[in-house]
Amino acid sequence: MSGDFDKAAKQYDQIFTFSNIGKAQRYFVFKYINSIISVNKKLSILELNCGTGHDAIQFAHLNHTVLATDISERMIEIAKKKTYPHHLEFKVQDINTITTQTFNRKFDLIFSNFGGLNCLSKKQLEIFFNNAIHLLNPKGKLVLVVMSKQCLWERLYFCLKGDFKNAERRQAKGSVLVDVHGSIVQTWYYNPKTILTLTESLYKPIQIKPIGITIPPSYLETSFLAKRPTINFLIGLERIINGSFWAKYADHFLIELAKK
């Protein structure tokens, strides 16, 4: 898996982080977690699947202490070349090897953005949630941004192309192989209900929000949908269509969970 993301690392910022679609979807992620990260209290944050470190650097600039991890050595190399505060540390770490003893500290927030957890099977997710509870401080939270099973944009896009197999790929019972910015990655898709079922004994749900219900998936960056003024119009719609009902139909959904 690390090799797959190593291949994507070089162009990741160009084709996603700083793309119009990437910036638009990230805006809503930070909008929904603003009440957590923009507080006077300094937080200890563990980021999983941090990629090239854009989110971690934003957290650090808000004066939080951040440990940002990713399985890809190349992603971490690129992240370390950026300018960031001293209270941010980057580390190569496979999420599937994390145990209750992996870190010598606990965290107020564990964060994973833009589908990093979709690289985990349902069983691997269950193990992660069971371990994560022991990595959180009292009143600690998980904020996870996960790719959904029923993305309306994806169905529409592939149906219009006559590619009905890919139009239904997120509905697969098991994993599917997906081209993620030039790398083929084994991927599982989830609905909010599945995450709630896996976490109900350990965590309390705080909010569930759609990320990309009107803003399209990033592979449409070269289409007219990502150009202005269309993308501005879609961002405006996303501000309105933001109820939890729509989360399962978006490209991603954000779920905030608090330790019981």
Side-chain angles (χ1 to χ4, degrees), residues 11-226:
Q11 293 185 314
Y12 184 78
D13 280 340
Q14 178 184 348
I15 61 181
F16 181 69
T17 305
F18 301 122
S19 69
N20 286 339
I21 288 174
K23 288 188 291 185
Q25 290 201 11
R26 179 171 274 108
Y27 165 81
F28 284 97
V29 172
F30 276 77
K31 178 178 185 289
Y32 296 137
I33 66 172
N34 184 62
S35 61
I36 303 173
I37 62 172
S38 292
V39 294
N40 292 327
K41 179 183 176 183
K42 182 179 178 181
L43 301 178
S44 175
I45 299 176
L46 171 63
E47 183 178 0
L48 305 171
N49 321 112
C50 71
T52 56
H54 189 78
D55 296 325
I57 292 170
Q58 289 198 56
F59 291 143
H61 279 304
L62 291 170
N63 206 35
H64 301 302
T65 301
V66 186
L67 174 57
T69 67
D70 199 284
I71 191 173
S72 167
E73 292 185 11
R74 184 61 181 144
M75 288 283 194
I76 294 297
E77 285 177 8
I78 293 172
K80 286 182 174 180
K81 291 178 181 178
K82 297 180 178 181
T83 301
Y84 54 89
H86 70 277
H87 44 271
L88 166 57
E89 176 188 356
F90 288 108
K91 178 181 179 181
V92 176
Q93 177 70 59
D94 181 350
I95 189 173
N96 286 314
T97 66
I98 291 175
T99 70
T100 57
Q101 306 301 318
T102 300
F103 308 105
N104 59 0
R105 52 176 149 153
K106 294 192 175 184
F107 303 91
D108 301 305
L109 173 65
I110 297 177
F111 176 76
S112 179
N113 207 359
F114 293 131
L117 293 184
N118 290 92
C119 295
L120 276 62
S121 68
K122 188 175 179 180
K123 181 61 178 177
Q124 290 170 328
L125 265 184
E126 184 177 13
I127 293 170
F128 163 71
F129 288 130
N130 288 336
N131 286 329
I133 197 74
H134 301 290
L135 299 174
L136 288 171
N137 288 319
K139 299 183 181 180
K141 292 183 175 181
L142 298 178
V143 172
L144 314 171
V145 180
V146 182
M147 290 187 290
S148 71
K149 284 184 73 71
Q150 301 181 58
C151 175
L152 295 180
W153 267 117
E154 185 153 297
R155 284 190 173 189
L156 176 62
Y157 172 68
F158 284 116
C159 281
L160 289 174
K161 292 182 67 176
D163 187 350
F164 301 107
K165 179 179 178 180
N166 274 323
E168 297 296 323
R169 67 181 179 179
R170 295 200 187 199
Q171 297 295 305
K173 292 183 179 180
S175 64
V176 294
L177 296 177
V178 178
D179 186 336
V180 180
H181 306 301
S183 297
I184 304 302
V185 178
Q186 188 176 17
T187 304
W188 289 261
Y189 294 100
Y190 297 102
N191 277 333
K193 184 177 180 181
T194 302
I195 304 300
L196 291 173
T197 299
L198 290 173
T199 59
E200 61 184 348
S201 65
L202 299 174
Y203 304 89
K204 175 184 176 182
I206 305 300
Q207 65 171 331
I208 301 173
K209 291 288 188 178
I211 303 293
I213 185 63
T214 65
I215 299 166
S218 60
Y219 51 75
L220 292 175
E221 178 66 24
T222 58
S223 75
F224 77 96
L225 295 166

